[in-house]
Amino acid sequence: MGAQIIDGKAFAAKVRGQVAAHVARLKADHGITPGLAVVLIGEDPASQVYVRSKGKMTVEVGMASFEHKLDLDTSETDLLALIGQLNADLKVHGILVQLPLPKHLDEDLVINSIDPAKDVDGFHISNVGLLGTGQKSMVPCTPLGCLMMLREHHGSLSGMDAVVIGRSNIVGKPMAQLLLGDSCTVTIAHSRTKNLPDVVRRADIVVAAVGRAEMVPGDWIKPGATVIDVGINRIDAPEKGDGKTQLVGDVHFDSCAEVAGAITPVPGGVGPMTIACLLANTVTACCRSHGVDEPEGLTA
Ligand code: GUN
């Protein structure tokens, strides 16, 4: 294996440390405690795990955590009423509604009912528009985490060829905007892209965010390129025993690590950075709402 492993777990711990230090200063200097409200509808096991770990880390960095668990059949009216209350609550600086929502709820309507200043996911159309026009906004956590790791590894990204595989609103599109903001030449590839291997082979930076287990093999990677793997896919692992599963990314780690200059592992790469950036966004939102200095290096 030739590639340097980008340790997202260690970097996320460092970011959480910076967040904790800023939270402590906010308390000491201004008597303010940042608060994050997380809304979970239904009992999807994976979402429950995420929400629990978000709550735990929120408290660990000294912030207040408010969890709202609603029944699967919660009406849109009741959900919008809760979001209205959280928008008005001065103790709440960040609001996250865990996605995906049950089918009977209109995701766009729900997301756009969140106060954009408290939209720590950066999914509100106002924040999407601000990011797209290079203005100060709340930035989606996963792409922000990827950007931080790329900046940490490379310093400047200016002039690099970046290929983002995947065009989702949560990762692909905002990732492309952030890379463009850092002066990369950006291509967004997707399921209809012609000759995907050749497109990926041009890239100095590959960000894979498609949700298909190990779909990017090593022979698509330009020697020395940096590979950021956003995928989290659970696959069968019969060699570990009957019924056992294993987490893998969207890139085939072993073959890509042979050729890449640097690569993020799964688990322990992008995943921990996403939660760290959620905490960073909450502190940023809190500082902006109170008109006090926001932490440096924790936003785009
Ligand atoms: N579900 C999976 N990822 C995310 C995320 O980043 N934010 C929200 N709100 N829900 C998610």
Side-chain angles (χ1 to χ4, degrees), residues 47 50 54 96-100 121 123 141-142 170 274:
S47 294
Y50 281 134
K54 281 171 193 164
L96 179 146
V97 178
Q98 183 68 30
L99 303 178
D121 263 326
F123 295 163
C141 305
T142 299
I170 294 183
T274 296

Side-chain angles (χ1 to χ4, degrees), residues 207-231:
V207 180
V210 267
R212 276 185 54 197
E214 301 179 317
M215 74 159 277
V216 179
D219 69 354
W220 292 13
I221 302 298
K222 175 158 108 179
T226 299
V227 178
I228 305 288
D229 191 350
V230 179

